[in-house]
Amino acid sequence: MDLALTTEQHEVRALAARFVDREIAPHAARWDRDGSIDRSVVRRLGELGFLGLTIPEEYGGSGGDHFAYCLVTEELGRGDSAVRGVLSVSLGLVAKSVAAWGSEEQKRRWLPGLCSGELLGCFGLTEPGTGSDAANLTTRARREGGDWLLDGTKMFITNGTWADVVLLFARSGEPADGHRGISAFLVPTDTPGLHRREIHGKLGLRGQATAELVLEGVRVPDSARIAPEGKGFSVAMSALAKGRMSVAAGCVGIAQASLDAAVSYAGEREQFGRPIAGHQLVQELIADIAVDTDAARMLTWRVADLVDRGEPFARESSVAKLFASEAAVRASNNALQVYGGYGYIDEFPVGKLVRDARVMTLYEGTSQIHKLLIGRALTDVSAF
């Protein structure tokens, strides 16, 4: 693996860093308090080509490799994880799935708008009773003539109230069919019978639109189905395998922001007649943050390198997501410790980093699920 970035990757990273420093980081605390990021930022992501990374230019994308995608995602995570989540879902889970599994008609219809930021997508997999057990979902898809009728509820859907299209997973077969009875559909969110309710009171990612989706007799044509009938679970798992790389990159951004904040504050804050950076135990906290940041970054870059070379990456993606999410929690918590009592109020950035980091160990596979996935990959034995 060559760790040296190409000229193009350096340029993409620098462009993302400038954008974050100018248009995201200065507003992140206010968006967090207000419970909503500025939607114009999403359009700017599209204008810069970030929402079309890895999507072919013929469909409105900007091309690029997954390494560049990780670099951009890391920078967005450094600035505001709520913004990072918008891109990770709309591009990483929805647009990439359309590009990989969609028909030519579906690609032409959805990808240009998703890449430009004119449209947003959301990923309708999680349900109130099925999080980690995604193969046991209960949302139903029933044929009626040449259409499908969709009924059910989806929960914790990022971009849910903002999205123009939902990549929805529903059971088209019998429960006994397990994951083989699941199909996927591209459903415009203005379709009659689809209701959306924003979820408030979140611990972190407050600027992000998180919603419950309720489907009551939602009718879509068979042309809305993406991939063959019964292959929806494969669509979901392939999306999540790369999505975990994106989450890991965002966690690297949180860790880097924690390191930057801790180093800056430790050099300014004085106790016992000198900056606290001169105290050994404060240096230990900072060193721990730095090690976690570097290790998480290398594990994430390994996944991006494997994806771009066309090599298997599922286990490595779980390793990166598991380590980086836990590292982001440790790094932000250590940064808060450096700040002391000031870290506990939102006038300073580290409290938000702690809150945003915590959910990273929960979604797109909890830490416990990823340990099972890694163990299964290494032993070829499923654990129960």
Side-chain angles (χ1 to χ4, degrees), residues 6 8-9 53-54 63-70 308:
T6 66
E8 184 179 65
Q9 288 166 345
L53 280 168
T54 79
D65 55 27
H66 287 82
F67 217 115
Y69 173 62
C70 277
D308 285 333

Side-chain angles (χ1 to χ4, degrees), residues 5-338:
L5 301 183
T6 66
T7 299
E8 184 179 65
Q9 288 166 345
H10 272 297
E11 291 173 350
V12 169
R13 189 184 201 181
L15 177 63
R18 290 194 299 270
F19 174 70
V20 166
D21 291 340
R22 183 177 64 249
E23 301 189 41
I24 294 179
H27 310 292
R30 176 171 56 82
W31 294 341
D32 184 64
R33 296 188 194 104
D34 293 345
S36 181
I37 66 174
D38 187 340
R39 286 288 301 271
S40 66
V41 169
V42 178
R43 184 59 66 90
R44 286 285 290 132
L45 290 172
E47 292 171 355
L48 292 171
F50 295 157
L51 285 173
L53 280 168
T54 79
I55 303 298
E57 294 181 7
E58 63 180 301
Y59 299 114
S62 53
D65 55 27
H66 287 82
F67 217 115
Y69 173 62
C70 277
L71 295 173
V72 170
T73 308
E74 177 184 329
E75 289 299 328
L76 293 177
R78 178 177 65 83
D80 189 348
S81 289
V83 178
R84 191 277 311 164
V86 173
L87 177 138
S88 290
V89 171
S90 192
L91 167 59
L93 297 183
V94 179
K96 287 185 181 182
S97 294
V98 175
W101 294 88
S103 66
E104 186 65 21
E105 179 186 355
Q106 289 167 337
K107 293 175 184 177
R108 297 290 178 189
R109 177 180 180 184
W110 294 113
L111 288 179
L114 290 172
C115 292
S116 69
E118 180 182 349
L119 303 177
L120 275 180
C122 65
F123 192 75
L125 180 64
T126 300
E127 298 182 355
T130 56
S132 298
D133 189 11
N136 197 34
L137 58 79
T138 60
T139 295
R140 296 288 302 178
R142 178 171 56 86
R143 275 192 179 274
E144 187 174 275
D147 296 338
W148 292 89
L149 289 181
L150 308 174
D151 291 276
T153 302
K154 298 296 182 178
M155 183 62 75
F156 304 127
I157 307 303
T158 300
N159 296 344
T161 54
W162 290 1
D164 301 279
V165 61
V166 51
L167 177 53
L168 187 95
F169 300 89
R171 183 166 300 286
S172 56
E174 297 302 318
D177 296 333
H179 70 272
R180 295 179 182 85
I182 295 172
S183 296
F185 303 86
L186 289 165
V187 183
T189 53
D190 60 359
T191 305
L194 194 157
H195 311 287
R196 301 184 280 178
R197 180 184 66 85
E198 188 164 357
I199 297 171
H200 298 283
K202 295 177 294 183
L203 178 66
L205 301 181
R206 292 176 177 172
Q208 198 176 87
T210 307
E212 175 186 31
L213 307 182
V214 177
L215 298 98
E216 297 177 322
V218 173
R219 181 183 294 272
V220 295
D222 189 55
S223 60
R225 177 172 46 82
I226 182 172
E229 184 177 344
K231 289 292 186 180
F233 194 75
S234 297
V235 175
M237 292 303 102
S238 65
L240 290 173
K242 291 181 181 177
R244 289 159 182 163
M245 173 186 68
S246 176
V247 173
C251 289
V252 174
I254 292 176
Q256 184 65 56
S258 300
L259 180 62
D260 294 343
V263 170
S264 176
Y265 185 78
E268 298 170 357
R269 173 70 166 168
E270 291 191 359
Q271 291 283 278
F272 305 104
R274 60 174 178 169
I276 62 173
H279 298 295
Q280 289 181 353
L281 295 183
V282 172
Q283 290 190 357
E284 180 184 30
L285 289 169
I286 292 173
D288 286 344
I289 300 171
V291 171
D292 268 335
T293 303
D294 280 358
R297 180 176 286 119
M298 293 299 101
L299 288 171
T300 303
W301 283 12
R302 177 176 69 166
V303 180
D305 180 67
L306 289 171
V307 173
D308 285 333
R309 288 194 286 111
E311 300 288 338
F313 63 90
R315 179 180 68 84
E316 290 80 3
S317 186
S318 280
V319 169
K321 197 275 180 180
L322 169 63
F323 184 86
S325 61
E326 297 288 347
V329 172
R330 291 192 299 269
S332 57
N333 194 53
N334 281 337
L336 191 150
Q337 198 70 17
V338 170

